[in-house]
Amino acid sequence: MRVKVLSRNPDDYVRDTKLDLQRVPRNYDPALHPFEVAREYVRALNATKLERVFAKPFLSSLDGHRDGVNCMAKHPKSLSTVLSGACDGEVKIWNLTKRQCIRTIQAHEGFVRGMCARFCGTSFFTVGDDKTVKQWKMESPEYGEEEEPIHTILGKTVYTGIDHHWKEPIFATCGHQVDIWDEQRTSPKCSLTWGFDSISSVKFNPIETYLLGSCASDRNIVLYDMRKSTPLKKVILNMRTNTLCWNPMEAFIFTAANEDYNLYTFDMRFLESPVMVHMDHVSAVLDVDYSPTGKEFVSASFDKSIRIFPVDKGHSREVYHTKRMQHVITVKWTSDNKYILCGSDEMNIRLWKANASEKLGVLAPREKAAMNYNQKLKEKFQFHPQIRRIAQHRHLPKSIYCQIKEQRIMREARRRKEVNRRKHSKPGSVPFVPERKKHIVAVVK
């Protein structure tokens, strides 16, 4: 029988006398330096620290409204134009490059409940508490012309939301029911309803443009197909969903902002359980909007903060707040993926960077190369305890910090109670329910 053994030549490592220098095996390839990992780790640590030092996301505040900002809309063709509607019926059009208001319209009596721009960008629609749907020109009126809507539709009930089709002259409104309108007609093409409660939000799918989803106050999320003129599916959650937003890159994925402090990302083909539950807010989530890449979304909450979530993670990567900012009602992610806009109760629209430590302006090639190198290093060492701790640390307002602590205690108490019940019950009588399925009541098809 032949046995293979490791054999080493003592001449390679044994010193002839004790006064000789110890022989050290060396690799003379400069690409394989013995301290390469140690050096990279120090660089990654410094890059992570500098990222937190330069994290100054707040850019400016657009003030001019005389009441709380209730809704916002993006211009489909112009990156620098954004529209906002307030609780006193006033609509303002802003130029983000100059950071000033370029036009003000007294659109409705009472709240502006919803607004959306036409897909070509020539006009926009608003709905309000005065039971009207109004279409306005995007351009300012000529000298001597009156500020008047192009069309006005008077409805029977109050409309609570509006959204425009991405390719055709069709828009949808919601209130007592979901109505699909042709721009040329004063009565809806079809009305869709499933249940008897008021509907708070309606959104067209940007990819499969004939699909739309709505949220009702009876805890339902209902999906409709415009071609069949009937509802498709309905999912009932434990608490009410305030609004939803479709992923602009994946046709079947949408995220719902819920009253139970969480956001739920669903695949519309499998509504039995959400793809992901996003938990970090400590109060009701009021609005949500996707980034144009479809990899992240931003949420606005009643807890006076906005958070940025990766689609596939349960916790936020970023939280933005200021001392003056009150309950955040509406939020939008700009179409160039660089900025976030949020409108809140205290009449201000705030402009934030989507990446808190990003340097604005023109970058030199060496700067760009250094930033890319640092980014790769941070990704390589992101799970190292010290780097992870520094990257994840955020200063929070005392109110949010205390509520997070309180909710952690409550969650732990619920978990402990469940463990005790399972321990003192017959085996199998207390089933394990995964977190994703705890919040779903039923799915109706």
Side-chain angles (χ1 to χ4, degrees), residues 66-308:
R66 291 169 297 179
D67 209 336
V69 182
N70 197 47
C71 54
M72 286 196 295
K74 294 182 283 191
H75 193 292
K77 303 287 182 186
S78 166
L79 286 173
S80 62
T81 308
V82 70
L83 305 101
S84 65
C87 298
D88 59 354
E90 200 173 59
V91 169
K92 283 184 180 284
I93 301 176
W94 303 87
N95 187 325
L96 294 181
T97 46
K98 295 178 184 173
R99 294 179 191 175
Q100 63 186 31
C101 175
I102 52 176
R103 188 172 158 212
T104 305
I105 307 163
Q106 187 58 45
H108 295 275
E109 292 169 22
F111 283 44
V112 180
R113 288 291 175 187
M115 59 195 316
C116 65
R118 198 172 186 271
F119 62 92
C120 60
T122 54
S123 62
F124 64 95
F125 295 82
T126 60
V127 292
D129 274 355
D130 52 6
K131 302 182 184 177
T132 57
V133 182
K134 294 184 180 179
Q135 184 181 5
W136 306 83
K137 274 187 185 171
M138 196 66 79
E139 286 83 30
S140 301
E142 297 294 326
Y143 180 74
E145 273 188 27
E146 296 256 339
E147 186 76 83
E148 286 182 349
I150 307 168
H151 299 299
T152 304
I153 299 167
L154 183 59
K156 292 172 186 171
T157 55
V158 173
Y159 296 112
T160 53
I162 186 169
D163 196 33
H164 202 284
H165 196 280
W166 289 78
K167 291 176 182 172
E168 293 170 26
I170 293 168
F171 64 92
T173 59
C174 64
H176 183 59
Q177 59 192 14
V178 173
D179 293 324
I180 311 292
W181 304 76
D182 194 308
E183 284 180 15
Q184 307 302 320
R185 294 171 63 180
T186 54
S187 58
K189 277 173 58 178
C190 68
S191 296
L192 307 164
T193 183
W194 193 353
F196 301 100
D197 254 323
S198 61
I199 297 161
S200 56
S201 166
V202 63
K203 292 283 168 73
F204 274 102
N205 191 318
I207 303 168
E208 302 290 348
T209 50
Y210 49 83
L211 289 175
L212 62 158
S214 73
C215 311
S217 54
D218 57 356
R219 304 175 298 155
N220 291 344
I221 300 171
V222 186
L223 303 175
Y224 307 94
D225 190 333
M226 220 166 58
R227 299 167 300 181
K228 295 202 311 190
S229 302
T230 53
L232 285 176
K233 292 179 182 177
K234 173 163 77 170
V235 58
I236 306 167
L237 276 71
N238 275 333
M239 289 184 78
R240 194 182 75 185
T241 300
N242 288 314
T243 186
L244 61 86
C245 187
W246 294 93
N247 190 323
M249 288 291 158
E250 294 181 81
F252 302 109
I253 305 293
F254 66 90
T255 298
N258 205 278
E259 284 280 326
D260 65 359
Y261 315 168
N262 297 340
L263 294 112
Y264 301 100
T265 297
F266 284 97
D267 186 325
M268 66 169 283
R269 297 166 295 181
F270 315 107
L271 291 174
E272 285 73 24
S273 72
V275 178
M276 186 62 69
V277 180
H278 308 275
M279 310 165 75
D280 260 346
H281 281 294
V282 292
S283 196
V285 189
L286 301 178
D287 200 12
V288 59
D289 193 40
Y290 264 93
S291 72
T293 57
K295 291 181 179 175
E296 293 181 320
F297 60 84
V298 61
S299 63
S301 172
F302 201 75
D303 64 13
K304 307 176 188 177
S305 69
I306 62 172
R307 288 181 182 267
I308 301 171

Side-chain angles (χ1 to χ4, degrees), residues 211-431:
L211 289 175
L212 62 158
S214 73
C215 311
S217 54
D218 57 356
R219 304 175 298 155
N220 291 344
I221 300 171
V222 186
L223 303 175
Y224 307 94
D225 190 333
M226 220 166 58
R227 299 167 300 181
K228 295 202 311 190
S229 302
T230 53
L232 285 176
K233 292 179 182 177
K234 173 163 77 170
V235 58
I236 306 167
L237 276 71
N238 275 333
M239 289 184 78
R240 194 182 75 185
T241 300
N242 288 314
T243 186
L244 61 86
C245 187
W246 294 93
N247 190 323
M249 288 291 158
E250 294 181 81
F252 302 109
I253 305 293
F254 66 90
T255 298
N258 205 278
E259 284 280 326
D260 65 359
Y261 315 168
N262 297 340
L263 294 112
Y264 301 100
T265 297
F266 284 97
D267 186 325
M268 66 169 283
R269 297 166 295 181
F270 315 107
L271 291 174
E272 285 73 24
S273 72
V275 178
M276 186 62 69
V277 180
H278 308 275
M279 310 165 75
D280 260 346
H281 281 294
V282 292
S283 196
V285 189
L286 301 178
D287 200 12
V288 59
D289 193 40
Y290 264 93
S291 72
T293 57
K295 291 181 179 175
E296 293 181 320
F297 60 84
V298 61
S299 63
S301 172
F302 201 75
D303 64 13
K304 307 176 188 177
S305 69
I306 62 172
R307 288 181 182 267
I308 301 171
F309 290 87
V311 175
D312 55 346
K313 300 277 193 308
H315 294 282
S316 60
R317 72 160 174 87
E318 203 65 77
V319 53
Y320 294 161
H321 54 87
T322 67
K323 277 187 179 176
R324 279 194 59 213
M325 189 157 80
Q326 293 303 306
H327 312 306
V328 192
I329 299 169
T330 177
V331 71
K332 285 280 178 263
W333 198 310
T334 58
S335 302
D336 61 349
N337 199 30
K338 284 202 169 202
Y339 306 104
I340 288 165
L341 289 147
C342 71
S344 49
D345 253 358
E346 83 304 333
M347 307 178 281
N348 277 10
I349 295 168
R350 287 181 174 79
L351 185 64
W352 308 83
K353 287 192 275 191
N355 185 1
S357 56
E358 184 183 15
K359 187 183 174 188
L360 299 178
V362 181
L363 295 176
R366 283 181 68 182
E367 264 182 313
K368 218 178 263 181
M371 279 171 58
N372 291 340
Y373 177 60
N374 285 343
Q375 187 59 38
K376 285 294 173 193
L377 284 179
K378 282 184 284 188
E379 283 173 18
K380 183 175 178 180
F381 291 96
Q382 65 184 330
F383 298 112
H384 192 281
Q386 199 172 357
I387 288 177
R388 189 175 180 182
R389 182 184 62 79
I390 294 167
Q392 288 186 348
H393 179 74
R394 296 290 179 274
H395 286 291
L396 292 169
K398 192 176 178 183
S399 60
I400 294 180
Y401 182 77
C402 293
Q403 280 176 288
I404 287 173
K405 214 162 153 186
E406 191 181 321
Q407 282 181 14
R408 194 179 295 132
I409 293 165
M410 287 160 65
R411 242 194 331 266
E412 183 57 32
R414 279 198 296 268
R415 191 193 65 79
R416 206 164 49 242
K417 183 179 176 182
E418 196 177 317
V419 168
N420 289 341
R421 280 183 61 201
R422 195 169 283 120
K423 199 186 289 180
H424 299 288
S425 300
K426 201 168 85 173
S429 63
V430 182

